[in-house]
Amino acid sequence: MRKNFYLIIVSLCLVSCYTYQVKKPLDATAIDNKQDSKRSAELAKESSIQMNSEKAKSQSLNSQQTPIPINVQEKLAPNKNFKIDVDGKSYKIIVDRWESDSLVAHSVSNPKVIFKFHKNQINSEKIAEKQFSKPIADIITIAAYAGIGVGIWSLLK
């Protein structure tokens, strides 16, 4: 029984509640569509229905055609943990600073290793920030309670 208890404790210590999660940018088309629906409702009172539908279609087409610009420098804030993809390689870094268009960062596992990347080398779609994960924390909590319950049950039996 002690071996199982120690195994549970060690496995819980190895599990982290922090994961790297990619933040999705706000969908401009969804925001535009909400604004378009408000505008079209107001215009429907003033003009005919056909004119409104043509305007809404042209506005939604324009918003879908223009891609959302992602600023890498705004995403990668200093003193935060990130997982970035540079030229096909994945790096776990802590951002130190920006020097003009170059990112200066150090490795999470070895702080002595310094990286310097140009902002065009970084894949902006795969920038993942280290954040607290509530579902993983809940699973760990339930497993700990179950382990405590089994331990108490085995002591009483």
Side-chain angles (χ1 to χ4, degrees):
M1 177 61 191
R2 278 191 158 165
K3 290 180 184 178
N4 292 339
F5 183 68
Y6 290 131
L7 182 64
I8 291 171
I9 290 175
V10 169
S11 64
L12 288 177
C13 291
L14 295 176
V15 176
S16 176
C17 295
Y18 288 89
T19 59
Y20 288 96
Q21 299 174 358
V22 177
K23 286 185 179 178
K24 304 226 179 201
L26 292 175
D27 188 10
T29 58
I31 294 170
D32 287 342
N33 288 340
K34 287 180 184 177
Q35 292 175 352
D36 289 343
S37 65
K38 289 179 184 177
R39 289 182 196 148
S40 64
E42 292 172 2
L43 292 174
K45 295 176 185 176
E46 297 173 6
S47 63
S48 69
I49 298 172
Q50 292 176 349
M51 294 173 76
N52 288 336
S53 63
E54 290 175 7
K55 287 180 183 178
K57 286 179 185 176
S58 66
Q59 288 176 353
S60 65
L61 288 174
N62 289 340
S63 65
Q64 289 175 357
Q65 290 173 352
T66 57
I68 303 169
I70 299 172
N71 190 352
V72 176
Q73 289 178 328
E74 289 177 5
K75 270 188 164 184
L76 297 172
N79 299 323
K80 289 190 176 182
N81 289 5
F82 291 97
K83 184 177 181 182
I84 61 172
D85 189 48
V86 179
D87 297 331
K89 282 188 165 183
S90 181
Y91 297 93
K92 291 182 181 178
I93 61 166
I94 298 175
V95 176
D96 292 330
R97 65 189 173 280
W98 281 94
E99 292 178 354
S100 184
D101 286 344
S102 296
L103 171 70
V104 178
H106 63 273
S107 173
V108 171
S109 59
N110 189 359
K112 293 180 182 179
V113 177
I114 304 293
F115 297 114
K116 194 168 186 178
F117 303 114
H118 190 270
K119 71 177 185 179
N120 294 338
Q121 291 178 308
I122 301 169
N123 186 351
S124 61
E125 294 175 357
K126 293 188 177 181
I127 296 174
E129 185 177 355
K130 189 173 185 180
Q131 296 179 340
F132 182 78
S133 177
K134 186 166 176 16
I136 293 175
D138 291 342
I139 291 169
I140 292 171
T141 303
I142 291 170
Y145 286 153
I148 292 169
V150 168
I152 292 172
W153 179 75
S154 66
L155 288 174
L156 293 176
K157 195 169 187 186

